[in-house]
Amino acid sequence: MCATLEKYVINGGNVLDGEVSISGAKNAAVAIIPAVILCDEPCRIENIPNISDVSLIGRILQEMGAEVKRIDKSTLYINPTKINSCSATSDLVRGMRASYYLLGALLGRCHQAKVCLPGGCNFGARPIDLHLKGFAALGARHELVNGAIIDVKSDGKLQGNHIYLDFASVGATINIMLAAVKAEGQTVIENAAKEPHIVDLANFLNSMGAQIRGAGTDTIKIRGVDFLHGVTYSIIPDQIEAGTYMCAAAATRGRVLVNNVTPKHLESITAKLREIGCEIKEFDEAVLVDATVRPLNRCNIKTMPHPGFPTDCQPQFATLLCTVDGTSIINESVWDNRYQYVSELTLMGAHISVEGRLAIIEGGSKLTAAPVKATDLRAGAAMVIAGLCADGVTEISSIQYIERGYENIIEKLNALGADIKKVYYDHTTDSSLRA
Ligand code: UD1
């Protein structure tokens, strides 16, 4: 039997130079598209990234009866008025983490939701207890059906309440916002997450007539409304895609203008790149990363909820730190198992030891090409950066993870001077590459 898979082949060693344009934010898109379920009229969402996670959530909405059309490369038309189901239990739902936003959105719309437990990247336990605690505070009880489907329902309208999150969880903050938008009275979320896509979701909901204040601070107040009208809304640029190109520019000792970004969202990454010796210039909607000015040096990183250093940029920055002299220490404080990429980088000659949440990187050794795999989305981005820096030809398998979150990564990198292509191969023989 012939089983065709895809992989990236990178001929390493080229310095990145030029300009790249960043797409719309994946994590905003995968929250805003389900949020349209709450709307009483059709919406147009612009600056949508062309990535597989977005196609997936669009198809899930279609399965529920919504009309979802791609008007052009980056614009989606969604008519939620024909949604005829409050359950999402198909295999598609299991394929992505953000499908849990269907819980909050459906609860808000029909006071009931049946959704498969989410899939997505695996970097340790990914509980949703805080989401469920929030729903319970709004009056919705839940049960787990056959260990695979979460069934949440309330008797009538949800009731606003005061909710304190034990951890500033992005997903719980978003889900509670979605459920509370049409609840009776006021909901207050304390210790809310402050990530840029939370502000973006609140702006989107407010543009439809929701009453949400405080998004981007620790305390979000939501006064329930009865009706949300259709809008055209453009989502924010992707902070993590931008951070990835910034790391890639630095790792190859290049000079790259990263366009269509919000520099404020990149401050923690910018600060660390400056600390290791990069020159960074900020413009209104662009940042210039210049790693040609002086030799780069080590630094330590601790990942934190926003505005701290983003965990989703940790693997990419770690790869950059492998290329500079000295010992760097990474403290991953958000996820308990986000170092699966380390064994892959080790195959390429990196010296990294992991002790619990710490990774100790002995930098300065030249990376060499090897067959490696993307163990998750950002780990895959780290492999790409490693391949760009390495001597020789690096092959990266399991690239479906990378394509969950990076639009046109091959075209964007090649335009900067990289030599990367996607090839198809038969994994039953794993031999001749077919371009
Ligand atoms: C989102 C992002 C993900 C990013 C993460 C942290 C999306 C679609 N995904 O994931 O890329 O890495 O934020 O910035 O936006 N936790 C609990 N109980 C819960 C919820 C979370 O204990 O109910 C814990 C998690 O195990 C983890 C931490 O809180 O240790 C952070 O999780 P959270 O902020 O919720 O991440 P996600 O929303 O899943």
Side-chain angles (χ1 to χ4, degrees):
M1 194 178 69
C2 174
T4 305
L5 295 177
E6 299 168 336
K7 62 179 155 187
Y8 291 160
V9 175
I10 305 175
N11 194 2
N14 294 0
V15 170
L16 297 190
D17 184 49
E19 298 188 21
V20 63
S21 183
I22 297 306
S23 303
K26 162 188 168 284
N27 287 347
V30 298
I32 284 174
I33 295 169
V36 177
I37 290 173
L38 290 159
C39 191
D40 297 282
E41 295 173 349
C43 290
R44 279 166 72 111
I45 317 292
E46 299 173 344
N47 204 29
I48 288 278
N50 195 1
I51 53 176
S52 61
D53 263 13
V54 161
S55 320
L56 205 53
I57 193 83
R59 283 165 60 204
I60 293 169
L61 258 62
Q62 277 172 333
E63 282 187 344
M64 293 162 51
E67 191 186 350
V68 182
K69 281 192 298 203
R70 216 173 242 286
I71 292 178
D72 60 40
K73 192 176 82 52
S74 59
T75 308
L76 271 190
Y77 166 89
I78 306 175
N79 181 353
T81 58
K82 294 180 189 148
I83 289 179
N84 50 28
S85 165
C86 46
S87 64
T89 53
S90 74
D91 283 347
L92 294 181
V93 182
R94 264 183 277 270
M96 71 182 301
R97 178 76 186 159
S99 55
Y100 57 32
Y101 294 142
L102 296 167
L103 284 170
L106 286 170
L107 253 188
R109 180 184 168 105
C110 23
H111 315 140
Q112 179 172 14
K114 260 191 194 175
V115 177
C116 287
L117 282 174
C121 288
N122 173 20
F123 25 82
R126 299 192 73 169
I128 58 164
D129 55 307
L130 299 174
H131 306 225
L132 298 173
K133 260 170 88 176
F135 296 152
L138 300 176
R141 58 195 178 281
H142 75 271
E143 61 175 324
L144 191 60
V145 183
N146 298 331
I149 294 172
I150 302 172
D151 187 353
V152 202
K153 53 166 98 69
S154 68
D155 299 323
K157 252 188 152 185
L158 296 168
Q159 299 292 323
N161 203 345
H162 216 96
I163 297 163
Y164 174 82
L165 293 179
D166 299 330
F167 182 87
S169 155
V170 172
T173 303
I174 288 180
N175 242 337
I176 296 167
M177 276 168 66
L178 293 172
V181 153
K182 286 186 158 180
E184 198 67 48
Q186 178 166 273
T187 298
V188 180
I189 310 174
E190 303 276 11
N191 196 28
K194 297 180 278 206
E195 269 64 8
H197 48 291
I198 287 178
V199 179
D200 204 33
L201 174 67
N203 288 340
F204 170 62
L205 292 167
N206 283 341
S207 71
M208 298 195 293
Q211 290 191 22
I212 303 173
R213 283 178 296 134
T217 74
D218 296 324
T219 306
I220 300 179
K221 293 185 177 161
I222 305 147
R223 185 160 289 285
V225 297
D226 288 331
F227 184 85
L228 294 177
H229 59 81
V231 289
T232 296
Y233 187 84
S234 182
I235 68 170
I236 53 169
D238 197 304
Q239 172 203 27
I240 305 301
E241 189 197 11
T244 301
Y245 284 97
M246 293 167 79
C247 289
T252 61
R253 305 300 186 268
R255 189 174 184 279
V256 173
L257 182 65
V258 185
N259 287 314
N260 186 32
V261 298
T262 306
K264 177 108 189 99
H265 296 165
L266 301 171
E267 273 174 352
S268 57
I269 300 165
T270 297
K272 283 292 159 185
L273 286 172
R274 283 191 173 131
E275 186 180 330
I276 67 170
C278 296
E279 288 283 322
I280 312 272
K281 276 201 188 112
E282 295 179 357
F283 303 93
D284 286 348
E285 294 183 353
V287 288
L288 175 70
V289 179
D290 189 351
T292 65
V293 181
R294 62 184 76 82
L296 303 187
N297 51 61
R298 56 154 304 279
C299 76
N300 297 335
I301 301 267
K302 182 173 185 182
T303 66
M304 302 276 279
H306 191 78
F309 190 91
T311 172
D312 287 354
C313 228
Q314 181 261 102
Q316 303 91 310
F317 211 98
T319 306
L320 160 61
L321 291 176
C322 290
T323 71
V324 306
D325 284 338
T327 305
S328 302
I329 299 176
I330 295 190
N331 183 343
E332 171 56 60
S333 87
V334 177
W335 295 107
D336 56 15
N337 184 14
R338 203 165 190 174
Y339 290 125
Q340 291 176 54
Y341 66 90
V342 165
S343 52
E344 302 299 309
L345 273 186
T346 305
L347 294 173
M348 298 179 71
H351 295 286
I352 308 177
S353 56
V354 174
E355 291 169 21
R357 287 182 175 247
L358 299 184
I360 297 114
I361 301 174
E362 302 294 343
S365 45
K366 184 77 188 143
L367 296 175
T368 48
V372 289
K373 63 175 184 287
T375 52
D376 62 58
L377 166 59
R378 307 304 170 184
M383 291 308 118
V384 170
I385 294 174
L388 294 172
C389 300
D391 281 338
V393 178
T394 297
E395 294 180 3
I396 306 172
S397 58
S398 298
I399 59 167
Q400 73 277 9
Y401 284 113
I402 302 174
E403 298 189 349
R404 283 188 40 218
Y406 289 92
E407 176 174 316
N408 293 340
I409 188 168
I410 304 263
E411 293 78 1
K412 289 185 186 187
L413 283 171
N414 283 337
L416 291 171
D419 181 351
I420 170 170
K421 63 184 173 187
K422 179 151 80 172
V423 302
Y424 301 88
Y425 68 104
D426 176 357
H427 91 101
T428 55
T429 56
D430 195 16
S431 57
S432 59
L433 301 176
R434 285 180 279 134

